[in-house]
Amino acid sequence: MTTISFTSRAADLETVGGKGANLARLTRTGFPVPPGFIITTDAYHAFTTENRLQDTIVPAVTGLEADDPIRLESISSEIRAAFSAGQMPSETESAIRMAYRNLGRPAVAVRSSATTEDLPDLSFAGQQDTYLNILGKDPLLNAVINCWSSLWTARAIGYRIRNGINHDEASLAVVVQEMVQSDISGVLFTANPLTGLLSESVIDATFGLGEALVSGQVEPDHFVVDALTGAILNKTVGEKKLSIRGKKTGGLEEIEGRALAQQSLSDCQIKQLAVLGQQVQNEFGSAQDIEWAFSDDNLFLLQSRPVTSLFPVPEVSFDPLLVWISFGAIQGLLEPMTPLGRDTIRYMAAGAGGMFGIKLKPQEVTGLASAGERLWIRVSDFLRHPIGHRPFKSGIAFVEPSVALILNSLPADPRLGIGTGKLRLNTLTRLAHFGLPLLPKLIRNMVWPQKGQAEIDARIEAALASAQVAPAADRFGKLANIVEFINDHIAIAFSLILPQFIPVIGPSMAGLNVLNKFAGENQALALEVTRSLPKNVTMEMDLALWQTATDIRTNDESHRIFTASDASSLAALYLNDDLPLVAQASIEDFMARYGMRGVRELDIGQPRWREEPTPVMQTLKSYLNITAEFAPDILFARGKEEAREATEKLALAARKQRAGWIKERLVQAAARRIRLLMGARESPKFYVIRMMGIARNAILNVGHEFAAVDTINHGEDLFFLRMEELESLARNEINDWKTLIAERRAAYERESRRRQVPRVLVSDGRAFYEGLGAESDNGDLITGSPVSPGSVEGFVQVVFNPNDAQLAPGEILVCPGTDPAWTPLMMAAGGLITEVGGMMTHGSVVAREFGIPAVVGVHQATQRLKSGQRIRLDGTTGTIMVLN
């Protein structure tokens, strides 16, 4: 089929591309779309086959990089020249001529419609070409060929490469639409593209054809409309010095205008457009970017595509407003999570309700939501609470100051109702149900802190000792037992550990507050007391890895092979049990305790070190370059001494004050609680990760069994199913599991390419990305939140994935955020800068314990700082100075 009409139900994405499919749908629904026809992708393939264009295209684009603009332009010119020299197959030409004759041979607009454009998640806006006011058969045929070749513009090739789209998957249809000789034209966004506000429609308008607007040749009129009420909120009249019109003989002409103060659209037309936009949005179910035109007071809809720049919100609501904060910003996990990873956290949240006497099914947990393949924590309930909103804001400022800054900037909107909620008796009852049993332990740990850490460790080890997935005879029984294990062990993790953890961490945090008060302006002195804390499982892990490196260094055969081999080769040797005996045994000992750790480890769907040990090998190679002076065990011992000296300085300062002997004892007691208890901060997470490690290993094993019988393609595919789907599969219920998993993987991969993730979402569509310093930074000065004192000068190393990085000793690590899998990299670092985080997030705690300066919450740190730059980092003041 070469051509089809706008009314055809055969007009799907594969046949007519995104633009064509949208126009056909709008036409069939009755929207005012100018008549036309679509030249299908079959015609494109016939043309490329007839002229053997793949022989030119394939070798030209193979190995091409998106960040090489000169090469992209050269390749594009080569391919497009081959298209221009091609001959259209006679059958294709005849079909186009007939469709044009049936349309009445009017002047037409000829628009490209690629199969990879105008999608819900990728718009490809402006990637292919449009030709306006084409009149006559031969000019139409030339325009069609030019449209086909525009699939290979430099910008289109680069866009596909950046978004991981195979060039072989791209094809192109051509929309031929009767030309609207518009008096006024422009674009309409059914949501504000700058703020994300879904209740605002934004219109840009100019006289004549819209080409002058989309090509940036005029300053258009700009109108903002309240989509809920129809009220016009804002009008800005642009200069509109130029208009583009269609000539009677075909082609376009530019006309200088004198409409500087003339509003292009009447208020009635503005409201008419806004109503049309809402109707189109309702048809497609998402915000739309619409091109429109008025001709003789008749409104025409020329095309519509999704607004893909908006970050999706979990739930749209204008009254009341709902607010979510990024789970990833709190945990240093900004990448998307697998479906099973998100469900596992949801099950843990449901289980935590038991601590407050609340029985919830995981599906009933409203405090967690998914958007953009990520988890979001709903905090609007806390913000509305008459008492709870104040401690919540204080607490979030401690954990993630950038989020606190954003929350404080939200206006006093009655729909948000900060602090206006009612205090309910059942809330007090539930808090009492949870809190009262903790009081005796809190008091005891304040007085005798030495017992607190030992008790939580004993509770964790006892729970792990009894944790195992029950065996079963077949893969269905095994999968059912895994689901049961997640329900019985992982889902209750919070309710098991938090009642033990809070009485331990609470007194240590109270101790830090005491020291902060006595430290006065010298807050860095209080933070120094937290260096080299004992019983911190993450520190113990890094010291164990350092011991492994020491074992390798002192064995000639092991040291030789680690020096001569790259990390991936060493990983392969380890997995095959082919490393020298000393290295193999020492790494196996490390993996036995810590092999279930990995990057983004809170997502059960992410690989672990024992499966992919390359990052461990990279770190070991880095450790072999560390001199004795900077050996982690030496630094750890030095940190303990610095903590002792800081305590003495604080005690001395307290002793000089009025009632000094009492204050001195308060300082010493506070420091003692910090040293004995704060190391437990990482213990609950380590417990959860070890439990997840048991479940993940079982899921991989049974996944391989399902892959062997072709139920799924790979053992890892099970992580792209949700918990209820695993239960369904365990019951051997029929489903197209492969297709479902492929769709989930595609969504995950698309979200993996997202460059910026908001910190805060509001249910009216607004997304807030800003970190600290976003508004105030200027020049070479960058600011953030100081979390580990000291200053250092060094070279920047920007890292997005620790699995692919090896830090030279002394380099300053700049990354989006950290979790424990980043800690070995930090051992070699001279300083740390992250985009997310606060005083008690992982990277901050580890930086203080290592004694390296750290600044967190830095707005777009990974974009504003470049590898190789020399900077001065001050973790006491939170400033970063670019030196070159």
Side-chain angles (χ1 to χ4, degrees):
M1 186 186 306
T2 302
T3 65
I4 60 177
S5 71
F6 279 4
T7 57
S8 172
R9 294 194 174 276
D12 57 17
L13 177 65
E14 185 177 350
T15 305
V16 301
K19 189 181 285 95
N22 289 352
L23 283 173
R25 179 173 175 177
L26 291 168
T27 299
R28 293 195 304 269
T29 312
F31 285 93
V33 177
F37 62 91
I38 306 167
I39 303 166
T40 67
T41 54
D42 288 345
Y44 170 83
H45 291 301
F47 180 82
T48 56
T49 300
E50 176 86 6
N51 295 282
R52 302 183 64 180
L53 292 174
Q54 289 299 103
D55 294 346
T56 301
I57 294 170
V58 173
V61 299
T62 300
L64 196 58
E65 298 290 338
D67 57 357
D68 188 351
I70 295 175
R71 182 70 176 151
L72 283 171
E73 288 290 350
S74 174
I75 292 300
S76 173
S77 298
E78 176 186 341
I79 294 173
R80 298 198 75 176
F83 270 83
S84 296
Q87 295 295 315
M88 188 177 288
S90 57
E91 290 184 7
T92 303
E93 181 177 334
S94 297
I96 294 172
R97 288 180 183 273
M98 180 178 294
Y100 183 50
R101 183 171 62 250
N102 292 339
L103 191 62
R105 299 192 184 95
V108 292
V110 183
R111 294 186 169 93
S112 307
S113 179
T115 55
T116 51
E117 73 173 352
D118 294 349
L119 307 177
D121 52 353
L122 291 172
S123 76
F124 274 69
Q127 302 302 314
Q128 281 85 43
D129 293 343
T130 292
Y131 300 90
L132 299 178
N133 207 40
I134 302 299
L135 185 61
K137 295 177 291 186
D138 291 337
L140 171 59
L141 295 174
N142 288 333
V144 170
I145 292 175
N146 288 335
C147 274
W148 283 337
S149 78
S150 72
L151 186 64
W152 302 99
T153 62
R155 59 187 182 271
I157 297 170
Y159 194 86
R160 288 195 293 271
I161 294 172
R162 281 191 297 273
N163 287 281
I165 297 172
N166 193 320
H167 294 299
D168 294 338
E169 297 174 2
S171 186
L172 194 124
V174 178
V175 173
V176 180
Q177 191 175 38
E178 186 173 326
M179 186 69 192
V180 175
Q181 304 295 351
S182 53
D183 304 312
I184 313 161
S185 59
V187 294
L188 159 66
F189 295 92
T190 64
N192 192 315
L194 295 181
T195 65
L197 201 55
L198 298 172
S199 60
E200 287 184 353
S201 293
V202 176
I203 301 168
D204 283 350
T206 190
F207 292 111
L209 302 179
E211 180 65 17
L213 190 156
V214 297
S215 62
Q217 294 178 264
V218 297
E219 180 191 354
D221 292 346
H222 183 75
F223 309 107
V224 180
V225 182
D226 187 323
L228 302 179
T229 65
I232 300 173
L233 303 176
N234 179 268
K235 297 180 185 179
T236 304
V237 178
E239 290 189 350
K240 306 183 295 296
K241 288 183 178 180
L242 176 77
S243 68
I244 296 178
R245 309 276 178 168
K247 296 190 293 187
K248 291 183 179 179
T249 56
L252 306 176
E253 61 179 345
E254 296 182 357
I255 301 173
E256 293 292 331
R258 294 185 179 180
L260 300 186
Q262 183 181 351
Q263 182 175 312
S264 55
L265 292 170
S266 68
D267 287 3
C268 182
Q269 288 173 320
I270 294 171
K271 293 180 180 181
Q272 183 183 356
L273 267 172
V275 170
L276 176 70
Q278 292 303 302
Q279 292 170 342
V280 175
Q281 176 175 281
N282 292 338
E283 172 64 26
F284 287 107
S286 64
Q288 296 290 299
D289 168 3
I290 298 167
E291 291 187 25
W292 53 268
F294 276 102
S295 179
D296 296 329
D297 290 328
N298 293 314
L299 174 58
F300 295 95
L301 200 163
L302 305 181
Q303 58 179 298
S304 184
R305 65 173 66 92
V307 181
T308 59
S309 60
L310 305 180
F311 197 92
V313 295
E315 177 185 349
V316 176
S317 173
F318 299 105
D319 191 6
L321 287 178
L322 307 176
V323 180
W324 297 269
I325 64 174
S326 167
F327 175 82
I330 304 299
Q331 291 294 332
L333 198 168
L334 299 181
E335 296 83 355
M337 297 179 69
T338 59
L340 189 58
R342 281 177 273 139
D343 262 15
T344 303
I345 301 299
R346 184 182 296 278
Y347 271 60
M348 291 169 63
M355 296 186 296
F356 302 93
I358 304 172
K359 292 185 178 180
L360 281 177
K361 295 179 180 178
Q363 298 81 4
E364 298 170 341
V365 176
T366 59
L368 281 178
S370 292
E373 305 299 308
R374 294 164 174 86
L375 276 178
W376 299 84
I377 306 168
R378 195 173 88 180
V379 299
S380 38
D381 295 338
F382 294 106
L383 295 175
R384 289 191 177 92
H385 199 277
I387 299 175
H389 71 282
R390 290 189 178 88
F392 171 75
K393 284 187 174 182
S394 300
I396 203 67
F398 202 62
V399 174
E400 232 296 350
S402 300
V403 168
L405 195 66
I406 292 168
L407 294 178
N408 286 328
S409 72
L410 291 177
D413 191 321
R415 298 173 303 168
L416 187 57
I418 295 178
T420 61
K422 294 181 180 180
L423 186 61
R424 293 184 174 88
L425 179 61
N426 64 344
T427 302
L428 294 175
T429 303
R430 288 167 178 169
L431 289 173
H433 180 275
F434 173 68
L436 289 177
L438 303 184
L439 285 177
K441 292 181 180 179
L442 277 166
I443 295 169
R444 188 201 61 190
N445 289 339
M446 291 287 286
V447 180
W448 300 289
Q450 63 272 19
K451 294 184 178 180
Q453 176 83 56
E455 280 195 2
I456 192 171
D457 289 345
R459 184 69 181 269
I460 286 173
E461 295 305 323
L464 286 164
S466 63
Q468 60 178 353
V469 178
D474 59 23
R475 61 186 181 278
F476 302 108
K478 292 175 183 177
L479 186 56
N481 289 346
I482 293 169
V483 172
E484 184 178 354
F485 177 87
I486 292 174
N487 275 300
D488 291 348
H489 294 276
I490 298 178
I492 65 166
F494 284 154
S495 56
L496 179 74
I497 294 300
L498 286 184
Q500 302 295 322
F501 176 68
I502 291 174
V504 170
I505 203 66
S508 68
M509 296 304 297
L512 186 59
N513 285 334
V514 170
L515 296 191
N516 282 331
K517 289 179 181 178
F518 283 104
E521 294 182 359
N522 192 6
Q523 294 292 298
L525 203 58
L527 291 180
E528 285 182 14
V529 177
T530 68
R531 287 186 172 173
S532 300
L533 293 170
K535 304 296 288 183
N536 182 309
V537 292
T538 302
M539 286 295 297
E540 290 174 349
M541 175 188 74
D542 291 306
L543 291 172
L545 191 58
W546 171 250
Q547 182 58 52
T548 302
T550 302
D551 293 342
I552 292 169
R553 190 199 306 270
T554 54
N555 179 261
D556 290 341
E557 184 183 9
S558 298
H559 188 259
R560 186 167 52 252
I561 197 167
F562 264 78
T563 303
S565 306
D566 60 36
S568 59
S569 299
L570 291 168
L573 289 171
Y574 168 73
L575 291 173
N576 291 326
D577 201 20
D578 285 336
L579 284 174
L581 183 61
V582 170
Q584 186 76 29
S586 187
I587 296 171
E588 284 177 356
D589 287 345
F590 175 82
M591 290 293 189
R593 173 72 173 168
Y594 301 107
M596 80 297 296
R597 307 216 80 155
V599 179
R600 294 181 275 166
E601 60 188 7
L602 269 179
D603 180 358
I604 196 173
Q606 298 303 322
R608 309 291 147 152
W609 286 339
R610 63 189 174 200
E611 303 160 30
E612 176 43 71
T614 300
V616 173
M617 304 304 165
Q618 285 177 324
T619 302
L620 287 171
K621 286 175 65 66
S622 176
Y623 282 7
L624 292 175
N625 295 322
I626 295 177
T627 59
E629 179 186 2
F630 297 102
D633 52 349
I634 300 297
L635 293 178
F636 188 76
R638 188 183 303 163
K640 289 173 66 176
E641 180 61 22
E642 290 171 350
R644 186 190 63 78
E645 291 174 357
T647 300
E648 289 181 355
K649 290 177 182 177
L650 288 168
L652 179 61
R655 190 187 312 153
K656 295 177 179 179
Q657 299 177 19
R658 186 177 179 181
W661 68 275
I662 296 177
K663 293 178 179 178
E664 179 185 9
R665 291 195 175 190
L666 282 174
V667 166
Q668 291 172 337
R672 183 166 176 263
R673 288 197 296 272
I674 291 171
R675 302 295 301 169
L676 288 173
L677 298 177
M678 193 172 279
R681 178 199 173 277
E682 298 282 329
S683 296
K685 185 175 182 181
F686 189 40
Y687 165 73
V688 170
I689 296 308
R690 291 163 79 183
M691 282 292 187
M692 284 186 180
I694 297 170
R696 178 178 169 83
N697 198 45
I699 290 170
L700 285 173
N701 289 335
V702 77
H704 293 313
E705 292 187 35
F706 279 103
V709 295
D710 207 34
T711 304
I712 56 178
N713 289 319
H714 310 284
E716 298 85 357
D717 285 352
L718 292 183
F719 297 109
F720 287 87
L721 297 178
R722 300 193 60 184
M723 283 288 289
E724 59 263 31
E725 292 162 350
L726 289 183
E727 294 172 354
S728 173
L729 178 56
R731 293 190 294 268
N732 197 17
E733 294 177 1
I734 303 301
N735 200 336
D736 187 357
W737 300 111
K738 287 185 176 181
T739 299
L740 177 61
I741 289 165
E743 291 172 354
R744 299 264 177 84
R745 280 189 176 275
Y748 179 90
E749 292 300 325
R750 287 194 298 268
E751 280 297 329
S752 296
R753 294 188 289 269
R754 190 182 290 275
R755 295 185 178 183
Q756 289 290 313
V757 179
R759 286 173 162 85
V760 176
L761 292 176
V762 183
S763 60
D764 58 10
R766 286 176 292 169
F768 296 87
Y769 297 81
E770 298 80 9
L772 298 176
E775 302 295 332
S776 59
D777 288 354
N778 58 74
D780 291 331
L781 179 65
I782 299 172
T783 59
S785 177
V787 293
S788 183
S791 63
V792 65
E793 289 187 13
F795 293 102
V796 165
Q797 178 73 282
V798 178
V799 179
F800 291 95
N801 186 344
N803 291 349
D804 305 326
Q806 184 174 323
L807 222 63
E811 285 185 321
I812 296 173
L813 174 62
V814 179
C815 58
T818 70
D819 61 17
W822 288 78
T823 312
L825 214 58
M826 292 170 61
M827 268 196 161
L832 173 70
I833 299 170
T834 68
E835 293 183 334
V836 298
M839 185 63 70
M840 292 307 295
T841 47
H842 169 266
S844 307
V845 173
V846 173
R848 289 196 296 272
E849 297 201 2
F850 285 172
I852 61 174
V855 176
V856 302
V858 179
H859 182 66
Q860 295 183 347
T862 57
Q863 297 180 42
R864 298 160 72 191
L865 295 169
K866 309 295 181 184
S867 292
Q869 280 182 322
R870 188 169 182 83
I871 64 172
R872 181 183 300 115
L873 168 66
D874 192 325
T876 304
T877 62
T879 58
I880 302 156
M881 178 62 70
V882 179
L883 301 178
N884 71 319

